[in-house]
């Protein structure tokens, strides 16, 4: 049997797919462990998982502050803050912990999240087998190709990180740390992602969705026979959603024949919600997706993938980063509609919600993507690929 070490950043959406893959590998008799921030990643992993600490020099409160600042930005400012204030500092802080984890665990394969550059640089420095875990397909499409100065800026940041941590000269420039030469696992399908425009051959394994703890406190009895819509901005964006959630409240008030489940933190909840809105702090999302008819979300890939895997059409209101690209691919596949997060009014959002509920073509397109996800194999296919690499 082989040994697999997953290097992950302190971001829930990047950890969750590796849990499903890791559990599949463990079920086959392999040894599996993770390396990441103990305070953040440790809270996301199921009980009994082995976690090596990396990046603990950055307190969880500091990470929260970094993420809060990044969440408040958009466009170029958001991209700049993501790299300079989140990804690179986290990568710098993680390198020592990843090195120690590799020395202790002795993995046959290191699986590095695309935004955990420390994993890639340690693997390259040691000359060991490694794979990329790509939780979104956006980097495969050259998202900044239309802005060559931005594309060069990102590439130069990655090269500088490699040089800062022991890769020199031609070796630092030989290949991008975001893409393993051996294996790039992409938790999507070609149908959803569209054309690949980078120099790698990705393995489209489909979403890796594993079991999660259920929320026994959810008011399942509140759901009745009316159509149901889930509204969520994911784990990172809820606090920025006050205006958008207010628009949702107006949409719901005008549609008493539809039930809305709104996942929102207390700080962003609108007042005077109508009776057909159930507001929650946390939701059992995977279980709930089997009981609703459509999703309104921000375009975070995990949320979109989980909705489409359940065959649910999506209304996407992208906020930043790769979310506009993901929204466009949902629309291109006919599985949903896109609205503006910052400018959408009740009439526009309501029209989109009505469309995905009433027009069967959106459900049919979502079902086609769900079928492509199932065919791709998910965690099982990812584990097959990793076994071959080991």
């Amino acid at each position: 049997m082989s040994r697999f070490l997953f290097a992950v950043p302190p971001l829930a959406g990047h950890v969750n797919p590796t849990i499903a893959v890791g559990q599949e590998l463990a079920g086959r008799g392999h040894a599996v462990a993770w390396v990441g921030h103990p305070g953040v990643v440790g809270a996301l992993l199921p009980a009994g998982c082995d976690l090596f600490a990396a990046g603990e020099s950055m307190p969880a409160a500091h990470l929260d502050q970094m993420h809060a600042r990044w969440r408040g930005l958009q466009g170029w400012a958001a991209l700049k803050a993501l790299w300079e204030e989140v990804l690179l500092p986290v990568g710098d802080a993680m390198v020592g912990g990843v090195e120690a984890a590799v020395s202790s665990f002795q993995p046959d394969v290191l699986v590095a999240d695309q935004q955990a550059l420390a994993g890639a640089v340690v693997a390259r420095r040691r000359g060991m087998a490694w794979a990329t875990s790509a939780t979104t397909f956006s980097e495969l499409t050259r998202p900044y190709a239309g802005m060559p100065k931005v594309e060069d800026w990102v590439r130069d940041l990655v090269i500088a990180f490699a040089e800062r941590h022991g890769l020199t000269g031609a070796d630092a420039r030989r290949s991008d740390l975001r893409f393993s030469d051996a294996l790039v696992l992409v938790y999507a399908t070609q149908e959803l992602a569209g054309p690949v425009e980078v120099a790698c051959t990705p393995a489209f394994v489909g979403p890796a969705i594993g079991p999660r703890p259920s929320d026994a406190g959810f008011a399942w009895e509140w759901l009745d026979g009316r159509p149901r819509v889930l509204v969520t901005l994911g784990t990172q964006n809820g606090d920025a959603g006050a205006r958008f959630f207010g628009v949702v409240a107006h949409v719901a008030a005008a549609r008493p024949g539809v039930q809305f489940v709104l996942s929102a933190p207390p700080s962003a909840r609108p007042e005077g919600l109508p009776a057909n809105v159930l507001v929650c702090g946390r939701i059992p999302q995977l279980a709930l997706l089997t009981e609703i008819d459509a999703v309104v979300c921000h375009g975070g890939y995990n949320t979109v993938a989980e909705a489409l895997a359940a065959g649910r059409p999506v209304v996407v209101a992208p906020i930043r980063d790769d979310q506009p690209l993901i929204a466009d691919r949902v629309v291109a596949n006919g599985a949903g509609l896109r609205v503006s997060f910052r400018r959408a009014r009740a009439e526009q959002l309501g029209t989109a919600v009505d469309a995905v509920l009433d027009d069967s073509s959106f459900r049919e397109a979502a079902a086609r993507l769900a079928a492509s996800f199932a065919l791709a194999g998910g965690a099982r296919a990812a584990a097959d690929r990793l076994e071959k690499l080991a």
Side-chain angles (χ1 to χ4, degrees):
M1 293 292 102
S2 300
R3 305 176 70 80
F4 297 90
L5 178 66
F6 291 87
V8 292
L11 297 166
H14 293 250
V15 176
N16 286 338
T18 71
I19 295 174
V21 178
Q23 289 177 330
E24 175 68 22
L25 288 166
R28 300 180 184 190
H30 301 293
V32 179
W34 282 260
V35 55
H37 193 284
V40 179
V41 177
L44 298 170
L45 294 175
C49 290
D50 291 329
L51 173 65
F52 293 90
E56 68 271 29
S57 61
M58 304 182 75
H62 179 59
L63 289 171
D64 288 342
Q65 292 173 357
M66 290 164 50
H67 292 153
R69 168 171 158 70
W70 161 52
R71 290 193 296 267
L73 301 173
Q74 57 182 305
W76 162 247
L79 177 66
K80 190 171 188 292
L82 174 64
W83 277 98
E84 294 184 344
E85 300 179 28
V86 180
L87 299 185
L88 294 176
V90 168
D92 289 333
M94 284 183 61
V95 168
V98 175
E99 278 281 9
V102 169
S103 295
S104 175
F105 187 67
Q106 293 291 304
D108 297 293
V109 177
L110 196 159
V111 186
D113 181 273
Q114 204 163 41
Q115 293 189 351
L117 297 179
V121 81
V122 169
R124 282 272 304 277
R125 196 163 61 188
R126 286 175 170 249
M128 62 185 299
W130 70 287
T132 297
S133 175
T135 56
T136 175
F137 53 80
S138 62
E139 293 286 357
L140 304 173
T141 68
R142 291 186 62 203
Y144 317 119
M147 300 175 285
K149 289 185 178 179
V150 173
E151 189 173 55
D152 290 346
W153 177 79
V154 172
R155 186 198 63 238
D156 290 345
L157 287 179
V158 174
I159 292 172
F161 181 89
E163 292 177 337
R164 189 159 65 248
H165 293 289
L167 298 178
T168 58
D171 192 33
R173 298 172 179 271
R174 177 173 60 82
S175 62
D176 196 317
L177 292 176
R178 294 170 293 175
F179 308 101
S180 166
D181 293 331
L183 176 62
V184 178
L185 292 172
V186 187
Y187 305 112
T189 56
Q190 186 80 66
E191 291 90 332
L192 180 58
V196 173
E197 298 187 20
V198 297
C200 75
T201 304
F204 286 101
V205 299
I209 302 173
R212 293 183 205 153
S214 61
D215 185 351
F218 184 77
W220 293 103
E221 69 281 358
W222 183 82
L223 302 174
D224 58 29
R226 288 174 286 178
R228 303 158 184 172
V229 176
L230 169 63
V231 181
T232 175
L233 298 180
T235 58
Q236 296 288 328
N237 302 285
D239 288 325
R243 193 205 76 85
F244 188 78
F245 291 147
V247 174
V248 170
H250 286 292
V251 170
R255 291 162 178 79
V258 178
Q259 291 187 297
F260 291 78
V261 178
L262 174 62
S263 176
S267 62
R269 296 176 185 177
E271 297 181 357
L273 286 169
N276 61 327
V277 176
L278 175 66
V279 63
C280 309
R282 295 180 64 86
I283 56 171
Q285 183 160 296
L286 292 180
L288 188 57
L289 283 169
T290 67
E291 303 295 330
I292 56 90
D293 299 286
V295 176
V296 176
C297 70
H298 59 307
Y301 181 65
N302 279 328
T303 299
V304 169
E306 289 170 4
L308 295 175
R312 286 2 184 205
V314 187
V315 175
V316 188
I319 302 174
R320 69 177 69 79
D321 305 328
D322 61 346
Q323 295 160 13
L325 172 64
I326 292 169
D328 288 346
R329 291 304 305 165
V330 168
V331 172
N333 278 276
L337 295 170
R338 175 176 174 172
V339 299
S340 171
F341 174 75
R342 290 178 174 80
R343 295 188 299 277
R345 299 192 178 277
E347 180 180 359
Q348 298 160 321
L349 180 58
T351 297
V353 169
D354 291 342
V356 297
L357 287 176
D358 298 338
D359 186 341
S360 62
S361 68
F362 292 105
R363 293 192 299 276
E364 291 165 359
R368 287 195 298 272
L369 286 172
S372 78
F373 289 175
L375 187 62
R380 175 179 50 80
D384 289 345
R385 296 277 190 160
L386 289 170
E387 283 182 325
K388 291 177 182 177
L389 183 58

